[in-house]
Amino acid sequence: IRRVPLSTMHNKFAKRAMDLVLGTVALIIFSPVMLVTAVLVKTTSKGPLIYKQERVGLHNQTFQMYKFRSMEVQSAKSEKRAWTVRDDPRVTKVGRVIRKTSIDELPQLFNILKGDMSLVGTRPPTVREFEQYENRHKRRLSMRPGITGMWQVSGRSNINDFEDVVKLDCEYIDNWSLLLDIKILLKTVKVVLTHEGAE
Protein backbone atom coordinates (compact mmCIF):
# COMPACT_ATOMS: atom_id res chain seq x y z
CA ILE A 1 0.00 0.00 0.00
CA ARG A 2 1.39 3.39 -0.99
CA ARG A 3 1.90 5.64 2.01
CA VAL A 4 1.13 9.30 1.45
CA PRO A 5 1.59 12.32 3.75
CA LEU A 6 -2.12 12.70 4.48
CA SER A 7 -2.38 9.12 5.73
CA THR A 8 -1.24 10.24 9.19
CA MET A 9 -3.69 11.66 11.74
CA HIS A 10 -1.33 14.53 12.56
CA ASN A 11 -1.26 15.76 8.97
CA LYS A 12 -5.01 15.28 8.53
CA PHE A 13 -5.61 17.40 11.65
CA ALA A 14 -3.17 20.09 10.48
CA LYS A 15 -4.81 20.37 7.06
CA ARG A 16 -8.32 20.47 8.50
CA ALA A 17 -7.28 23.09 11.08
CA MET A 18 -5.86 25.28 8.31
CA ASP A 19 -9.09 24.87 6.33
CA LEU A 20 -11.24 25.95 9.27
CA VAL A 21 -9.06 28.93 10.22
CA LEU A 22 -8.35 30.28 6.72
CA GLY A 23 -11.84 29.37 5.51
CA THR A 24 -13.42 31.41 8.30
CA VAL A 25 -11.07 34.34 7.69
CA ALA A 26 -11.79 34.24 3.95
CA LEU A 27 -15.53 34.16 4.60
CA ILE A 28 -15.25 37.28 6.75
CA ILE A 29 -12.99 39.11 4.27
CA PHE A 30 -15.11 38.27 1.22
CA SER A 31 -18.53 38.70 2.87
CA PRO A 32 -19.01 42.22 1.38
CA VAL A 33 -18.18 40.86 -2.11
CA MET A 34 -20.57 37.95 -1.57
CA LEU A 35 -23.33 40.30 -0.41
CA VAL A 36 -22.98 42.55 -3.47
CA THR A 37 -22.85 39.50 -5.75
CA ALA A 38 -25.98 38.08 -4.14
CA VAL A 39 -27.88 41.31 -4.79
CA LEU A 40 -26.70 41.49 -8.42
CA VAL A 41 -27.55 37.85 -9.16
CA LYS A 42 -31.04 38.13 -7.67
CA THR A 43 -31.92 41.50 -9.26
CA THR A 44 -30.65 40.84 -12.80
CA SER A 45 -32.07 37.38 -13.52
CA LYS A 46 -34.77 35.07 -12.22
CA GLY A 47 -33.89 31.93 -10.31
CA PRO A 48 -32.15 30.77 -7.14
CA LEU A 49 -29.13 32.62 -5.77
CA ILE A 50 -27.09 29.48 -5.26
CA TYR A 51 -26.53 26.79 -7.87
CA LYS A 52 -26.09 23.38 -6.23
CA GLN A 53 -24.48 20.55 -8.11
CA GLU A 54 -23.92 17.00 -6.90
CA ARG A 55 -20.22 16.19 -6.89
CA VAL A 56 -18.18 13.21 -5.72
CA GLY A 57 -15.71 13.83 -2.92
CA LEU A 58 -13.66 12.06 -0.27
CA HIS A 59 -13.96 8.25 -0.41
CA ASN A 60 -16.43 8.46 -3.33
CA GLN A 61 -19.09 10.16 -1.19
CA THR A 62 -21.42 12.61 -2.93
CA PHE A 63 -22.10 16.14 -1.70
CA GLN A 64 -23.80 19.32 -2.92
CA MET A 65 -21.22 21.83 -4.16
CA TYR A 66 -22.28 25.48 -3.98
CA LYS A 67 -21.74 28.26 -6.50
CA PHE A 68 -23.38 31.60 -7.20
CA ARG A 69 -25.74 30.97 -10.11
CA SER A 70 -24.15 32.32 -13.28
CA MET A 71 -26.56 30.92 -15.89
CA GLU A 72 -30.19 31.29 -16.84
CA VAL A 73 -32.24 29.11 -14.51
CA GLN A 74 -33.27 26.42 -17.03
CA SER A 75 -29.75 26.18 -18.40
CA ALA A 76 -28.26 25.93 -14.93
CA LYS A 77 -30.55 23.01 -14.11
CA SER A 78 -29.64 21.18 -17.29
CA GLU A 79 -25.92 21.88 -17.25
CA LYS A 80 -24.01 18.58 -17.56
CA ARG A 81 -20.76 19.73 -19.09
CA ALA A 82 -17.42 18.87 -17.50
CA TRP A 83 -15.61 21.77 -19.16
CA THR A 84 -16.52 25.44 -19.47
CA VAL A 85 -17.67 26.59 -22.92
CA ARG A 86 -16.13 29.83 -24.13
CA ASP A 87 -18.73 32.59 -24.78
CA ASP A 88 -21.57 30.31 -23.65
CA PRO A 89 -24.81 32.19 -24.46
CA ARG A 90 -26.53 30.64 -21.45
CA VAL A 91 -24.32 32.62 -19.06
CA THR A 92 -25.83 35.85 -17.71
CA LYS A 93 -24.03 39.22 -17.88
CA VAL A 94 -23.33 39.07 -14.15
CA GLY A 95 -22.39 35.42 -14.56
CA ARG A 96 -19.64 36.26 -17.04
CA VAL A 97 -18.05 38.64 -14.57
CA ILE A 98 -18.22 36.39 -11.54
CA ARG A 99 -16.92 33.43 -13.54
CA LYS A 100 -13.99 35.39 -14.95
CA THR A 101 -13.05 36.60 -11.47
CA SER A 102 -13.88 33.24 -9.79
CA ILE A 103 -16.32 35.04 -7.47
CA ASP A 104 -18.90 32.37 -8.35
CA GLU A 105 -16.74 29.90 -6.37
CA LEU A 106 -16.92 31.82 -3.07
CA PRO A 107 -19.97 29.93 -1.67
CA GLN A 108 -17.72 26.86 -1.58
CA LEU A 109 -16.26 28.38 1.59
CA PHE A 110 -19.39 26.98 3.24
CA ASN A 111 -18.55 23.57 1.77
CA ILE A 112 -15.18 23.87 3.50
CA LEU A 113 -16.69 24.70 6.89
CA LYS A 114 -19.11 21.78 6.48
CA GLY A 115 -16.22 19.43 5.79
CA ASP A 116 -17.20 18.57 2.21
CA MET A 117 -14.21 20.35 0.71
CA SER A 118 -10.77 21.75 1.48
CA LEU A 119 -9.17 25.03 0.44
CA VAL A 120 -6.65 23.06 -1.63
CA GLY A 121 -7.30 19.62 -3.04
CA THR A 122 -8.25 17.67 -6.12
CA ARG A 123 -10.94 18.67 -8.60
CA PRO A 124 -14.32 17.16 -7.55
CA PRO A 125 -15.91 15.24 -10.45
CA THR A 126 -19.58 15.28 -11.31
CA VAL A 127 -21.49 12.04 -10.77
CA ARG A 128 -21.53 11.47 -14.54
CA GLU A 129 -17.76 11.91 -14.72
CA PHE A 130 -17.24 9.56 -11.77
CA GLU A 131 -19.35 6.84 -13.39
CA GLN A 132 -16.82 6.79 -16.25
CA TYR A 133 -13.81 6.44 -13.95
CA GLU A 134 -11.49 3.48 -14.12
CA ASN A 135 -10.18 2.21 -10.77
CA ARG A 136 -6.88 4.06 -11.17
CA HIS A 137 -8.75 7.36 -11.47
CA LYS A 138 -10.44 6.92 -8.09
CA ARG A 139 -7.19 7.52 -6.22
CA ARG A 140 -7.73 11.25 -6.69
CA LEU A 141 -10.74 10.92 -4.34
CA SER A 142 -8.59 9.72 -1.43
CA MET A 143 -8.63 13.28 -0.07
CA ARG A 144 -11.14 16.11 0.16
CA PRO A 145 -11.66 18.01 -3.09
CA GLY A 146 -10.50 21.61 -3.08
CA ILE A 147 -11.67 25.01 -4.25
CA THR A 148 -8.25 25.24 -5.87
CA GLY A 149 -5.47 22.80 -6.62
CA MET A 150 -2.66 21.77 -8.94
CA TRP A 151 -4.99 21.74 -11.96
CA GLN A 152 -6.28 25.28 -11.35
CA VAL A 153 -2.79 26.81 -10.99
CA SER A 154 -1.26 24.83 -13.86
CA GLY A 155 -3.29 26.21 -16.72
CA ARG A 156 -6.92 25.33 -15.89
CA SER A 157 -8.80 25.52 -19.19
CA ASN A 158 -5.58 24.99 -21.15
CA ILE A 159 -5.40 21.45 -19.75
CA ASN A 160 -8.06 19.49 -21.61
CA ASP A 161 -6.70 15.97 -21.21
CA PHE A 162 -8.33 14.24 -18.25
CA GLU A 163 -5.28 12.02 -17.76
CA ASP A 164 -3.19 15.15 -17.23
CA VAL A 165 -5.63 16.32 -14.56
CA VAL A 166 -5.40 12.95 -12.80
CA LYS A 167 -1.60 13.09 -13.00
CA LEU A 168 -1.53 16.53 -11.38
CA ASP A 169 -3.94 15.43 -8.64
CA CYS A 170 -1.92 12.30 -7.81
CA GLU A 171 1.27 14.37 -7.79
CA TYR A 172 -0.36 16.67 -5.25
CA ILE A 173 -1.51 13.75 -3.08
CA ASP A 174 1.94 12.15 -3.09
CA ASN A 175 3.76 15.38 -2.24
CA TRP A 176 1.27 17.07 0.09
CA SER A 177 2.47 19.44 2.80
CA LEU A 178 1.11 22.58 4.44
CA LEU A 179 3.82 24.53 2.62
CA LEU A 180 2.64 23.13 -0.72
CA ASP A 181 -0.94 24.18 0.13
CA ILE A 182 0.26 27.70 0.93
CA LYS A 183 2.21 27.88 -2.35
CA ILE A 184 -0.87 26.76 -4.32
CA LEU A 185 -3.05 29.32 -2.52
CA LEU A 186 -0.59 32.10 -3.39
CA LYS A 187 -0.45 30.94 -7.02
CA THR A 188 -4.26 30.88 -7.06
CA VAL A 189 -4.35 34.56 -6.10
CA LYS A 190 -2.04 35.31 -9.05
CA VAL A 191 -4.18 33.22 -11.43
CA VAL A 192 -7.38 34.96 -10.32
CA LEU A 193 -5.88 38.44 -10.57
CA THR A 194 -4.34 37.84 -14.01
CA HIS A 195 -7.10 35.51 -15.30
CA GLU A 196 -4.30 33.19 -16.37
CA GLY A 197 -5.70 29.99 -17.88
CA ALA A 198 -9.30 31.06 -17.19
CA GLU A 199 -12.16 31.06 -19.69
Side-chain angles (χ1 to χ4, degrees), residues 139-140 165-175:
R139 184 166 178 261
R140 65 199 296 266
V165 176
V166 174
K167 182 179 179 181
L168 286 170
D169 284 343
C170 290
E171 178 184 331
Y172 170 72
I173 292 171
D174 289 337
N175 298 284

Side-chain angles (χ1 to χ4, degrees), residues 82-84 86 151 154-165 168 197 199:
W83 307 100
T84 303
R86 191 183 298 274
W151 173 65
S154 300
R156 295 173 71 186
S157 57
N158 294 326
I159 301 177
N160 295 316
D161 190 331
F162 175 64
E163 294 297 335
D164 289 338
V165 176
L168 286 170
E199 293 240 340

Side-chain angles (χ1 to χ4, degrees), residues 5-17 144 176:
L6 272 176
S7 63
T8 67
M9 290 302 297
H10 177 268
N11 286 344
K12 287 181 181 178
F13 176 81
K15 183 170 176 60
R16 182 61 182 150
R144 284 188 180 91
W176 178 86

Side-chain angles (χ1 to χ4, degrees), residues 63-80:
F63 69 97
Q64 295 293 318
M65 190 178 77
Y66 307 138
K67 286 187 178 185
F68 281 121
R69 180 176 56 81
S70 59
M71 302 176 72
E72 298 294 344
V73 64
Q74 284 188 325
S75 299
K77 286 181 178 179
S78 62
E79 183 180 24
K80 299 295 183 181

Side-chain angles (χ1 to χ4, degrees), residues 60 130 133-142:
N60 307 341
F130 177 73
Y133 273 17
E134 297 177 17
N135 284 333
R136 61 193 175 88
H137 297 145
K138 295 179 181 179
R139 184 166 178 261
R140 65 199 296 266
L141 300 175
S142 61

